[in-house]
Amino acid sequence: MTSANSSSRSRYPAGSLAFPHRGLLGLAGLAPHEILFLLDEAEQWVELNRQPTKRVDHLRGLTIINAFYENSTRTLLSFEIAGKRLGADVVNMSVGQSSVKKGETLIDTAMTLNAMRADAIVIRHASSGAVRLIAEKVDCPVLNAGDGQHEHPTQGLLDALTIKRAKGEFVGLKVVICGDILHSRVARSNILALTALGADVRVCAPPALMPADIERMRVTPYHDFDAALKDADVVMMLRLQNERMTGQFIPSPREYRHLYGLSVDRLARAAGDAIVMHPGPMNRGVEIDSNVADLPGRSLITTQVEMGVAMRMACLEVLTRKARKLEGWQ
Amino acid sequence: MTSANSSSRSRYPAGSLAFPHRGLLGLAGLAPHEILFLLDEAEQWVELNRQPTKRVDHLRGLTIINAFYENSTRTLLSFEIAGKRLGADVVNMSVGQSSVKKGETLIDTAMTLNAMRADAIVIRHASSGAVRLIAEKVDCPVLNAGDGQHEHPTQGLLDALTIKRAKGEFVGLKVVICGDILHSRVARSNILALTALGADVRVCAPPALMPADIERMRVTPYHDFDAALKDADVVMMLRLQNERMTGQFIPSPREYRHLYGLSVDRLARAAGDAIVMHPGPMNRGVEIDSNVADLPGRSLITTQVEMGVAMRMACLEVLTRKARKLEGWQ
Amino acid sequence: MTSANSSSRSRYPAGSLAFPHRGLLGLAGLAPHEILFLLDEAEQWVELNRQPTKRVDHLRGLTIINAFYENSTRTLLSFEIAGKRLGADVVNMSVGQSSVKKGETLIDTAMTLNAMRADAIVIRHASSGAVRLIAEKVDCPVLNAGDGQHEHPTQGLLDALTIKRAKGEFVGLKVVICGDILHSRVARSNILALTALGADVRVCAPPALMPADIERMRVTPYHDFDAALKDADVVMMLRLQNERMTGQFIPSPREYRHLYGLSVDRLARAAGDAIVMHPGPMNRGVEIDSNVADLPGRSLITTQVEMGVAMRMACLEVLTRKARKLEGWQ
């Protein structure tokens, strides 16, 4: 196990990769070869995590701070486990105990974490752009673990990794993303990754949950889920946030399920070997039926969770190469 | 320090132990030799914890997830320290940040933790049976850290270890357990362990807090604490939960203390060398008087806490032997 | 990197240091050579923390428990990072999950942490004296991370370290501490450290926030901030707690800023090379203006945070020497 295996380094020379020097704020602006490089790097960690002993010393002596201003069990656990398996010292900044409650500005918190000599800061925040604000004030790489309705880049990467391992190639692959496209940072990061990699991305949402300028993202919009599903290779369902379940956006969860929920019958419209994905946590019986979520060989929802830990290990390992003074990364 | 010392292994061959293959959900169904094996294993960790340097590498590279759905400082700290002293990567899933609040089912959470390749999951939950539900869905051993009114097996084991070290033998030992027998998972796990090991267990409770079918558990029920205490070797007091202190169960904390509280006078009815135990946290002046709780040489309440860390180390170490591919445990 | 570098050991022989044997409850009673010893010890950790790999094994196998009864992101993060970089197993006792909520006494919690064989306990508590109460009941050193309006010794030490590195000597140095002197444990610990080291300490506060017997602390009191600032070498601003911003103590935050806020104009009354300090989190625009807080070369506010981690490493390392049986410290 080497931190930069020779095959990937030769395919993507360090000099051609811009992101290690500024963190990972989003997938917008990443070149396809940069995304593919990260997917390749993650493979070694998928393998490691399947061993009885899941630990390396690559990040020994480095301090990673998880600063989650918004609750998220899954993503926080995933980053914490990723950091620890790489040998780093991981500390979680508790929201409940945050100085933010004492009125401290986001920038002062960032400068504090920086002064403690963090080697990487992982941030989740309810405001789009908050992560960039912090990244501009600190010396270490910042990883965006989801900011408002902007981006969730490691989710986009782990989904791409899941798809790559299942389907091999991205070019021409028919991917449907269905749900609240308007507010979803998961949708946004996935669209950016998958279109960059050459997939044919279709997005499907009720009119009130579709961005007005969606065509600018190089995707095909649908309001009819049945039409969107035709011959699809990948069906990615989005979580319907509780706060959208009533009122202006959709008539009712029941009506939503009728029009935009993924059932076994509806899945039959996709390709015979189409895979089913969901970023979790699921509303079973709303956006996805239980028998689809648990469909053996077709649903890759738990595989996504597994790829998540590996993908975050890859991002943390690559982004700290400069700090660790790895040859070719300084 | 070896993970399976030769003496215990020869007395209890791996093939005769059922629990390492399915976690530790409760003490019901454990054979006496299985309980004794775990008590023997804990001894080495008692010794280690008394050294200046308290750390081994047995579980290095393994991920332990503590998923506490119910608050518990003591038990969580105890498991976290146990895991870290064994060299594992320990992560706590915060209840406050749990996806459960987003409506995720217990089973989906279990499948998520499993996909992150946890090597052991420690669960506390307010519902009896929730731990079993999770255990059925994951590939790794699950340790019950208390589920509803069902069981709290590591508490039963640490209490047995405390008694064994103080009294030597279990057969014929007179043990009184006094308090809310009806709702107490601590009482239940203790009864299961101590009766299996041959102790003469007496349970004492007000009528409203005694299970109707208590005789089926092979114990002698008492409503008169003074009678129950006669010649007792061990007096184990249970915590009176705040929510039982008023209303239907007892007239008042004052009345409860009068009838079922352990005072120095009352302790005099037990054997001259009887030991006093309490799982904590104590309500001093309710179920136990302060001068009894602090009685030198007789009160083993802080010893129970010490044995708790050692016992949890033993459980974690034994239950992960299969995953670590130790000879004879695959 | 050695745990006790030879130069400092020769200057301050172990036998002349009282504190390692009883923890660090406050700076009151510490001799100047004991304070200077700790400042000297911290230097090695400042250096280490500026390296790519920030980790030693000095405290490997030791368990440090952070028991914060009062929220504090910065101080908790600082102690957690300090412990981990020294190689210790660090566990945080969550207030929200504390048995205290179940009515357990502070002393019972202390005895529980002690029974788990903690090697150091770091405590923050809203009540003055709570830390001493715990320290009397446990076998390991206790570090006060702030108790009520009493002391915050590591803050006093990190501030002294910041000043020493900027100014070299303490004797005759003119230090102004401005703000809520009455309620501030930061002010108290700083006054104790700086007067012991020979600085000329001036304290400035509105009449309602100045202790009646302040002269007993060997400082010069001022109500006029402009007068206090004259030729000052160090200007240390205190945080105005939200709960003091209205009502009996000050007319309004605006009025407070007018009389006691540090602006660029006001700073001009101090020495030309005066440094600006603040323990954080800041109320920008109340006790300190943003352009002063961010003044390059003059504001050392983020340096204080950096020194905080190093200073806490020094305290943890020195206080555990006895437990680690280092030669000369038993």
Side-chain angles (χ1 to χ4, degrees):
Chain A
M1 188 78 44
T2 57
S3 61
N5 65 63
S6 51
S7 67
S8 66
R9 200 189 278 180
S10 59
R11 282 172 62 192
Y12 315 104
S16 73
L17 299 167
F19 57 89
H21 302 282
R22 57 176 163 83
L24 183 66
L25 305 185
L27 301 183
L30 283 204
H33 77 277
E34 292 177 316
I35 297 173
L36 290 170
F37 169 74
L38 289 171
L39 301 189
D40 280 5
E41 284 294 319
E43 291 289 348
Q44 66 188 296
W45 307 121
V46 175
E47 258 179 68
L48 178 76
N49 291 339
R50 291 179 175 177
Q51 303 304 314
T53 293
K54 294 168 271 283
R55 198 168 217 276
V56 294
D57 282 329
H58 294 47
L59 269 58
R60 183 179 154 83
L62 270 62
T63 304
I64 298 174
I65 300 181
N66 293 318
F68 276 53
Y69 290 85
E70 220 187 29
N71 284 343
S72 169
T73 318
R74 296 160 157 270
T75 310
L76 178 57
L77 272 181
S78 187
F79 269 109
E80 186 175 354
I81 291 173
K84 287 181 170 173
R85 287 186 182 161
L86 290 167
D89 291 321
V90 182
V91 291
N92 297 332
M93 191 182 90
S94 164
V95 172
Q97 301 193 339
S98 168
S99 300
V100 176
K101 294 205 168 170
K102 292 187 183 170
E104 189 177 48
T105 66
L106 198 60
I107 288 172
D108 280 339
T109 303
M111 281 162 50
T112 299
L113 303 184
N114 194 51
M116 291 180 181
R117 304 274 164 176
D119 296 289
I121 302 177
V122 181
I123 301 169
R124 170 169 290 215
H125 201 284
S127 299
S128 311
V131 177
R132 176 169 298 276
L133 202 66
I134 292 173
E136 283 165 3
K137 291 292 175 184
V138 300
D139 301 314
C140 68
V142 165
L143 283 85
N144 181 358
D147 64 331
Q149 297 167 13
H150 174 228
E151 277 225 43
H152 191 354
T154 57
Q155 180 74 43
L157 290 170
L158 76 89
D159 287 337
L161 180 61
T162 306
I163 293 170
K164 178 164 176 263
R165 291 172 62 96
K167 296 294 181 186
E169 285 294 325
F170 291 97
V171 177
L173 203 68
K174 293 180 186 68
V175 182
V176 180
I177 306 176
C178 177
D180 180 358
I181 305 293
L182 180 61
H183 301 97
S184 173
R185 57 196 178 204
V186 173
R188 194 175 164 78
S189 288
N190 261 292
I191 290 168
L192 288 163
L194 296 171
T195 55
L197 296 171
D200 162 19
V201 180
R202 307 165 183 178
V203 298
C204 178
L209 296 175
M210 180 74 84
D213 59 347
I214 187 68
E215 273 96 351
R216 293 180 54 190
M217 296 202 73
R218 300 190 290 155
V219 298
T220 316
Y222 288 81
H223 297 310
D224 178 345
F225 193 20
D226 288 331
L229 282 169
K230 190 169 187 307
D231 302 327
D233 301 299
V234 178
V235 185
M236 187 184 295
M237 303 306 296
L238 301 175
R239 173 178 174 78
L240 185 66
Q241 300 295 332
N242 295 331
E243 61 269 30
R244 318 261 190 253
M245 282 199 197
T246 51
Q248 68 192 103
F249 296 108
I250 65 161
S252 74
R254 184 190 164 97
E255 181 80 355
Y256 184 85
R257 172 179 182 275
H258 180 63
L259 290 171
Y260 296 101
L262 188 62
S263 62
V264 167
D265 284 354
R266 200 163 253 153
L267 181 60
R269 295 175 183 267
D273 60 351
I275 58 171
V276 173
M277 301 173 70
H278 190 295
M282 290 183 275
N283 296 298
R284 287 170 178 262
V286 183
E287 72 263 6
I288 190 166
D289 283 5
S290 264
N291 55 4
V292 178
D294 301 331
L295 208 60
R298 302 287 296 281
S299 167
L300 298 187
I301 294 171
T302 57
T303 303
Q304 289 172 272
V305 176
E306 183 187 2
M307 295 304 121
V309 177
M311 200 66 239
R312 280 147 191 151
M313 290 175 79
C315 291
L316 288 168
E317 193 277 314
V318 170
L319 287 168
T320 56
R321 284 185 188 177
K322 192 182 172 193
R324 290 181 290 132
K325 302 188 186 299
L326 255 67
E327 202 186 331
W329 292 84
Q330 289 155 25
Chain B
M1 189 74 45
T2 57
S3 61
N5 65 63
S6 51
S7 69
S8 66
R9 199 189 277 178
S10 60
R11 282 173 62 193
Y12 315 103
S16 73
L17 301 166
F19 57 88
H21 302 282
R22 57 178 163 84
L24 183 67
L25 304 186
L27 301 183
L30 283 204
H33 78 276
E34 291 176 317
I35 296 173
L36 290 170
F37 169 76
L38 289 171
L39 302 188
D40 281 5
E41 285 293 319
E43 291 290 349
Q44 66 189 297
W45 307 121
V46 174
E47 258 178 68
L48 178 76
N49 291 339
R50 290 179 176 177
Q51 304 303 315
T53 293
K54 294 167 270 287
R55 197 171 219 274
V56 293
D57 281 330
H58 294 46
L59 268 58
R60 184 179 153 83
L62 270 62
T63 304
I64 298 175
I65 301 182
N66 292 318
F68 276 52
Y69 289 85
E70 219 186 31
N71 285 344
S72 169
T73 319
R74 295 160 157 270
T75 310
L76 179 57
L77 273 181
S78 187
F79 269 109
E80 186 175 353
I81 290 173
K84 287 181 170 172
R85 286 186 183 161
L86 290 166
D89 291 321
V90 182
V91 291
N92 296 333
M93 191 182 91
S94 163
V95 172
Q97 301 193 338
S98 169
S99 301
V100 175
K101 293 204 169 170
K102 291 187 183 172
E104 189 177 47
T105 68
L106 198 61
I107 289 173
D108 280 340
T109 303
M111 283 162 48
T112 298
L113 303 184
N114 195 51
M116 290 178 182
R117 304 272 164 179
D119 296 290
I121 303 177
V122 181
I123 301 169
R124 171 168 288 215
H125 200 284
S127 300
S128 311
V131 177
R132 177 170 296 275
L133 201 66
I134 291 173
E136 284 165 2
K137 291 293 175 184
V138 300
D139 301 314
C140 68
V142 166
L143 281 85
N144 182 358
D147 64 331
Q149 298 166 12
H150 174 230
E151 279 225 41
H152 190 354
T154 57
Q155 180 74 43
L157 291 169
L158 76 89
D159 288 337
L161 180 61
T162 306
I163 293 170
K164 178 165 176 261
R165 291 172 62 96
K167 296 294 179 187
E169 284 296 324
F170 291 98
V171 178
L173 203 69
K174 293 180 187 66
V175 182
V176 180
I177 306 176
C178 177
D180 180 358
I181 305 293
L182 180 61
H183 301 96
S184 172
R185 56 196 178 204
V186 173
R188 194 176 164 77
S189 289
N190 262 292
I191 290 169
L192 289 163
L194 296 171
T195 55
L197 296 171
D200 163 19
V201 180
R202 308 166 184 178
V203 297
C204 178
L209 296 175
M210 179 74 84
D213 59 348
I214 188 68
E215 274 95 350
R216 293 180 54 188
M217 295 201 76
R218 301 188 290 155
V219 298
T220 316
Y222 289 81
H223 297 311
D224 179 345
F225 192 19
D226 289 330
L229 282 170
K230 190 169 187 310
D231 302 327
D233 301 298
V234 178
V235 185
M236 187 184 294
M237 303 306 296
L238 300 176
R239 173 178 173 79
L240 186 65
Q241 300 295 331
N242 295 331
E243 60 269 31
R244 317 258 190 254
M245 284 200 197
T246 52
Q248 69 192 101
F249 295 109
I250 65 161
S252 73
R254 183 191 165 96
E255 181 78 357
Y256 184 84
R257 174 180 180 275
H258 180 61
L259 291 171
Y260 296 100
L262 189 62
S263 62
V264 167
D265 284 353
R266 200 162 253 153
L267 181 60
R269 296 177 181 267
D273 61 350
I275 58 171
V276 174
M277 300 173 71
H278 190 295
M282 289 183 276
N283 296 299
R284 287 170 178 262
V286 183
E287 72 263 7
I288 190 165
D289 282 7
S290 264
N291 54 3
V292 179
D294 299 333
L295 208 58
R298 302 288 295 280
S299 168
L300 298 187
I301 294 172
T302 56
T303 304
Q304 289 172 271
V305 176
E306 183 188 2
M307 295 304 121
V309 177
M311 200 65 241
R312 278 144 193 154
M313 290 175 80
C315 291
L316 288 168
E317 193 277 314
V318 170
L319 287 168
T320 56
R321 284 185 188 176
K322 192 182 172 193
R324 289 180 291 132
K325 301 187 187 301
L326 256 67
E327 203 187 330
W329 293 84
Q330 290 156 24
Chain C
M1 189 76 45
T2 58
S3 60
N5 66 62
S6 51
S7 68
S8 65
R9 200 189 279 179
S10 58
R11 284 172 61 192
Y12 315 103
S16 72
L17 301 167
F19 56 88
H21 303 281
R22 57 176 162 85
L24 182 68
L25 304 186
L27 300 183
L30 283 203
H33 77 277
E34 292 177 316
I35 296 172
L36 290 170
F37 169 74
L38 289 171
L39 302 188
D40 280 5
E41 284 294 318
E43 291 290 348
Q44 65 189 296
W45 307 121
V46 175
E47 258 179 68
L48 178 76
N49 291 339
R50 291 178 175 178
Q51 304 303 315
T53 293
K54 294 168 272 285
R55 197 170 220 274
V56 294
D57 282 329
H58 294 46
L59 268 58
R60 183 178 154 83
L62 270 62
T63 304
I64 298 174
I65 301 182
N66 292 318
F68 276 52
Y69 290 85
E70 220 186 29
N71 284 343
S72 168
T73 318
R74 295 161 157 270
T75 310
L76 179 57
L77 271 181
S78 188
F79 269 109
E80 186 176 353
I81 290 172
K84 286 181 171 173
R85 286 184 183 163
L86 289 167
D89 291 320
V90 182
V91 291
N92 297 331
M93 192 181 90
S94 165
V95 172
Q97 301 192 338
S98 169
S99 300
V100 176
K101 293 203 169 171
K102 291 187 183 171
E104 189 177 48
T105 67
L106 199 59
I107 289 172
D108 280 340
T109 303
M111 282 162 50
T112 298
L113 302 184
N114 195 51
M116 290 179 182
R117 304 274 164 178
D119 296 289
I121 303 178
V122 181
I123 301 170
R124 170 168 288 215
H125 200 284
S127 299
S128 310
V131 176
R132 177 169 297 274
L133 201 66
I134 291 174
E136 283 165 3
K137 292 292 176 184
V138 300
D139 302 313
C140 67
V142 165
L143 283 86
N144 182 358
D147 63 331
Q149 298 167 13
H150 175 230
E151 278 225 42
H152 191 354
T154 57
Q155 181 75 42
L157 292 170
L158 77 89
D159 287 337
L161 180 61
T162 306
I163 293 170
K164 178 165 176 260
R165 291 171 62 96
K167 297 293 179 189
E169 286 296 326
F170 291 98
V171 178
L173 203 69
K174 293 180 187 65
V175 182
V176 180
I177 305 176
C178 177
D180 180 357
I181 305 292
L182 180 61
H183 300 97
S184 172
R185 57 196 177 204
V186 173
R188 194 176 164 76
S189 290
N190 262 294
I191 290 169
L192 288 163
L194 295 171
T195 55
L197 296 171
D200 162 18
V201 180
R202 309 165 183 179
V203 297
C204 178
L209 295 175
M210 180 75 84
D213 60 346
I214 188 68
E215 274 96 349
R216 294 180 53 189
M217 295 201 75
R218 301 190 288 156
V219 299
T220 315
Y222 288 81
H223 296 311
D224 179 344
F225 192 20
D226 288 330
L229 282 170
K230 190 168 185 309
D231 302 327
D233 301 299
V234 177
V235 185
M236 187 184 295
M237 304 306 296
L238 300 176
R239 173 178 172 79
L240 186 66
Q241 300 296 331
N242 295 332
E243 60 269 30
R244 319 260 189 253
M245 282 201 197
T246 53
Q248 68 192 100
F249 296 109
I250 66 161
S252 73
R254 185 191 162 97
E255 182 78 357
Y256 184 86
R257 174 180 180 275
H258 180 62
L259 291 171
Y260 297 100
L262 189 61
S263 61
V264 167
D265 284 354
R266 200 163 253 152
L267 181 59
R269 295 174 182 269
D273 61 351
I275 58 171
V276 174
M277 300 173 70
H278 190 295
M282 290 183 275
N283 296 300
R284 288 170 177 261
V286 183
E287 72 263 6
I288 190 166
D289 282 5
S290 264
N291 54 4
V292 179
D294 301 331
L295 208 59
R298 302 287 296 280
S299 168
L300 298 187
I301 295 171
T302 56
T303 304
Q304 289 171 272
V305 176
E306 183 187 2
M307 295 304 121
V309 177
M311 200 64 241
R312 279 146 193 153
M313 290 175 79
C315 291
L316 287 168
E317 193 278 313
V318 170
L319 287 168
T320 56
R321 284 184 188 176
K322 192 183 173 193
R324 288 181 290 131
K325 301 187 187 300
L326 256 68
E327 203 186 330
W329 293 83
Q330 289 155 25

